[in-house]
Amino acid sequence: NAGVTQTPKFRVLKTGQSMTLLCAQDMNHEYMYWYRQDPGMGLRLIHYSVGEGTTAKGEVPDGYNVSRLKKQNFLLGLESAAPSQTSVYFCASSLGTSSGNEQFFGPGTRLTVL
Amino acid sequence: AQSVAQPEDQVNVAEGNPLTVKCTYSVSGNPYLFWYVQYPNRGLQFLLKYITGDNLVKGSYGFEAEFNKSQTSFHLKKPSALVSDSALYFCAVRAPGAGSYQLTFGKGTKLSVIP
């Protein structure tokens, strides 16, 4: 099993450009999450999904959109990138929330917005 | 609202000595608590969790954590540190219940094990 994979690994954008980050998991997990990691701030939840076709806002959703058309994929979109969105983005998935199921993380995407 | 505090940005320990990485939390109800480790340029890896039961939880790579409800703490420990344990450690908390989705992370503690 590949676990959680993210595409691309690195990306540089100019302000105002758009892009989509792809997350895929092969563990048949219901729940998927997008986080951003900034120095000294830990991980902050952007959006999450509790199943195919459903999405919800997390702690810092502004400037991002998501879609979960297939159970195994969770896409994060930036419609008009801003320098404040320079960050490392992590996708995660989990089996569910009962019994405290842990989240499994992808390797991350390092995004720089100039 | 739930929150996690990791009071130390960095912990330095000599190889072979015991290590402790501190974590305190705030959440309504009985918490689900987690520790993750992040090596440079890598994603987070799950180490251990406390859901219920024994307050001392054992996890991967010889790590363990002690849940203390009265002090709302969940400190990560290891009896003998290795240089390879040097990494960034995150504590996280989630409120119990199937309707609670958000995992709140602390800001992380950088552990450096000195040879």
Side-chain angles (χ1 to χ4, degrees):
Chain A
N1 287 350
V4 180
T5 58
Q6 293 182 231
T7 307
K9 289 185 169 53
F10 304 93
R11 187 71 186 270
V12 178
L13 290 178
K14 294 181 179 178
T15 297
Q17 288 184 319
S18 63
M19 77 164 294
T20 299
L21 281 67
L22 172 62
C23 175
Q25 53 93 4
D26 62 1
M27 297 173 282
N28 201 33
H29 285 172
E30 287 292 334
Y31 296 76
M32 297 188 74
Y33 315 82
W34 275 107
Y35 293 90
R36 59 177 290 172
Q37 182 181 28
D38 301 292
M41 300 189 73
L43 276 77
R44 293 180 293 169
L45 183 65
I46 304 172
H47 286 280
Y48 63 95
S49 168
V50 302
E52 182 178 320
T54 70
T55 63
K57 294 180 179 179
E59 181 186 354
V60 288
D62 294 342
Y64 306 95
N65 57 76
V66 289
S67 64
R68 182 102 181 266
L69 299 179
K70 294 183 179 180
K71 185 177 183 178
Q72 63 268 33
N73 296 337
F74 194 29
L75 279 63
L76 178 71
L78 286 72
E79 290 185 346
S80 180
S84 60
Q85 294 177 304
T86 293
S87 187
V88 182
Y89 292 86
F90 288 101
C91 177
S93 70
S94 67
L95 190 59
T97 57
S98 63
S99 301
N101 289 307
E102 63 268 26
Q103 295 180 15
F104 294 81
F105 284 80
T109 295
R110 186 173 295 274
L111 175 66
T112 301
V113 183
L114 302 175
Chain B
Q2 56 198 44
S3 64
V4 173
Q6 292 182 242
E8 300 156 318
D9 291 336
Q10 178 146 356
V11 170
N12 297 321
V13 63
E15 186 176 23
N17 282 3
L19 69 87
T20 299
V21 182
K22 295 179 181 178
C23 170
T24 59
Y25 67 90
S26 174
V27 70
S28 298
N30 295 318
Y32 293 161
L33 293 158
F34 303 82
W35 275 103
Y36 286 84
V37 60
Q38 184 180 31
Y39 298 100
N41 300 314
R42 304 286 293 276
L44 277 68
Q45 296 178 29
F46 170 74
L47 275 180
L48 52 78
K49 65 182 177 183
Y50 171 82
I51 304 303
T52 187
D54 194 347
N55 289 343
L56 185 64
V57 179
K58 295 188 183 297
S60 306
Y61 312 121
F63 284 94
E64 56 189 28
E66 186 168 11
F67 171 65
N68 187 316
K69 188 173 184 178
S70 63
Q71 297 186 4
T72 62
S73 67
F74 189 55
H75 300 330
L76 182 69
K77 301 181 180 183
K78 188 174 183 181
S80 179
L82 301 173
V83 172
S84 57
D85 293 330
S86 298
L88 191 56
Y89 290 81
F90 290 97
C91 181
V93 67
R94 183 167 73 75
S100 174
Y101 307 117
Q102 184 154 343
L103 191 62
T104 299
F105 287 85
K107 295 182 179 182
T109 298
K110 183 179 179 181
L111 174 67
S112 293
V113 181
I114 303 161

